[in-house]
Amino acid sequence: MIILDCESIETMYESVESVTGINRSELNEFFDGFDMDKFYEENSNFDEPADRLLLSKVREMENCNIRQIDAVYWFHLSRTYKGNSFNQGILSLGEAIDHIWYFLYDLQNGHVSKEEWDDFRYKKFVESKSHSAWLYHFKLGDKSHWGPYAMLVRDIAFVSKEVGNHDYLDAPEIVEDICHVFDGMYQFNLLEKFKQKTYPCIVKFQSGQSKDYYLGIVLNFLYHKYHEMEMSLNCNTCFDSEGESIEFDQILNVEFI
């Protein structure tokens, strides 16, 4: 069974070898001899991104023999309470939203009563004209924004600013949306309370869905890493479960950072 596993640099090289037959030393030799910046300078009409370019170049290598990828490992980034085993799987936003509200209610520790909290959630939040409230309703109102989402390359979790991603290990977006509105209405830093009581978490899971360009993403990440270049968005790609929760039996590991 051929698996694409981007948990570490080692597993990425091993995955490339299992898919292409090209080992780490051979791939690094190719990286040594290929100047990507120079290629783009000399081929101004070439408009394919770096991951597609590297994949095409590796396909041209004499000993390359591309095999079918049977499964892909993904890394769901979150922040949650210590000990969360995800025994219900990784829930979509639609399934998780009530749990989020209950958890946040406990964190505000009586700053508002249960009646006031319900009034905040079901009336004041709905009526709020703030940007955070708009983002919340935008995400929750369309199942296509429910995820769950995940990263192909685990290390991208730690360079969110570099690649221009939201830092999901710092706080989920939907939690930030709720907390910002609550803070504005009740002058209570609920987001800070959330961060005090939770921990960054990476959930590794398996999917049978694979696309050809995933290999190019891995090659691009390894090329950037090998040459100590700044990471870019196309050094990674994302998984979108399109509103369907990830089943518990797909989960391989729950790691608290």
Side-chain angles (χ1 to χ4, degrees):
M1 185 176 183
I2 296 178
I3 297 171
L4 191 60
D5 181 3
C6 301
E7 181 163 2
S8 67
I9 297 296
E10 289 71 25
T11 63
M12 293 174 81
Y13 274 107
E14 290 168 2
S15 293
V16 170
E17 183 172 3
S18 69
V19 176
T20 67
I22 298 170
N23 64 37
R24 182 170 185 160
S25 61
E26 292 169 331
L27 190 60
N28 286 345
E29 185 178 348
F30 162 70
F31 289 160
D32 272 327
F34 182 66
D35 188 329
M36 189 189 302
D37 290 336
K38 184 177 179 181
F39 176 89
Y40 278 109
E41 288 172 6
E42 295 177 349
N43 298 270
S44 57
N45 293 327
F46 186 86
D47 58 1
E48 291 288 340
D51 57 295
R52 307 287 176 134
L53 169 61
L54 287 170
L55 181 56
S56 66
K57 292 296 182 183
V58 167
R59 286 182 182 274
E60 293 170 1
M61 294 175 67
E62 186 176 351
N63 54 342
C64 179
N65 179 25
I66 301 289
R67 300 171 179 86
Q68 177 67 40
I69 297 171
D70 299 305
V72 179
Y73 291 165
W74 296 92
F75 301 89
H76 172 72
L77 313 180
S78 188
R79 190 179 184 98
T80 185
Y81 58 88
K82 201 67 173 280
N84 186 355
S85 63
F86 290 83
N87 59 0
Q88 293 181 296
I90 305 172
L91 299 181
S92 70
L93 177 59
E95 291 189 273
I97 194 62
D98 283 341
H99 299 284
I100 293 170
W101 278 97
Y102 295 148
F103 186 69
L104 292 176
Y105 169 72
D106 287 339
L107 292 181
Q108 58 89 33
N109 197 28
H111 186 73
V112 298
S113 68
K114 182 63 168 63
E115 291 74 17
E116 289 173 312
W117 180 262
D118 288 342
D119 184 58
F120 165 65
R121 177 180 180 181
Y122 296 111
K123 184 179 179 182
K124 291 182 179 178
F125 196 97
V126 173
E127 296 172 350
S128 173
K129 303 299 182 183
S130 73
H131 183 61
S132 293
W134 181 87
L135 286 172
Y136 173 93
H137 294 302
F138 174 76
K139 296 163 192 169
L140 198 64
D142 186 343
K143 191 175 181 179
S144 67
H145 300 301
W146 286 7
Y149 302 104
M151 304 289 187
L152 178 63
V153 180
R154 179 185 176 278
D155 283 355
I156 293 294
F158 307 104
V159 291
S160 57
K161 289 183 179 178
E162 191 172 314
V163 300
N165 279 343
H166 177 83
D167 186 354
Y168 297 99
L169 297 180
D170 186 57
E173 290 180 67
I174 204 73
V175 169
E176 289 187 347
D177 296 337
I178 296 170
C179 291
H180 288 156
V181 178
F182 188 79
D183 188 6
M185 290 186 180
Y186 297 97
Q187 292 72 57
F188 183 92
N189 195 336
L190 189 55
L191 184 59
E192 185 61 31
K193 282 289 185 182
F194 174 82
K195 292 179 182 181
Q196 290 172 2
K197 297 295 184 179
T198 55
Y199 299 83
C201 179
I202 300 179
V203 185
K204 183 178 182 179
F205 66 92
Q206 176 177 315
S207 169
Q209 300 176 20
S210 177
K211 297 180 181 178
D212 292 342
Y213 78 91
Y214 292 170
L215 179 60
I217 295 291
V218 177
L219 293 170
N220 194 33
F221 180 92
L222 290 175
Y223 182 91
H224 278 67
K225 197 73 173 179
Y226 184 78
H227 288 290
E228 298 181 345
M229 299 166 62
E230 184 174 296
M231 294 295 165
S232 63
L233 272 177
N234 63 344
C235 290
N236 177 62
T237 192
C238 297
F239 176 90
D240 182 356
S241 195
E242 300 178 341
E244 300 299 325
S245 296
I246 304 299
E247 299 295 332
F248 176 71
D249 61 8
Q250 293 178 253
I251 294 176
L252 303 169
N253 185 47
V254 177
E255 174 191 7
F256 284 91
I257 308 301

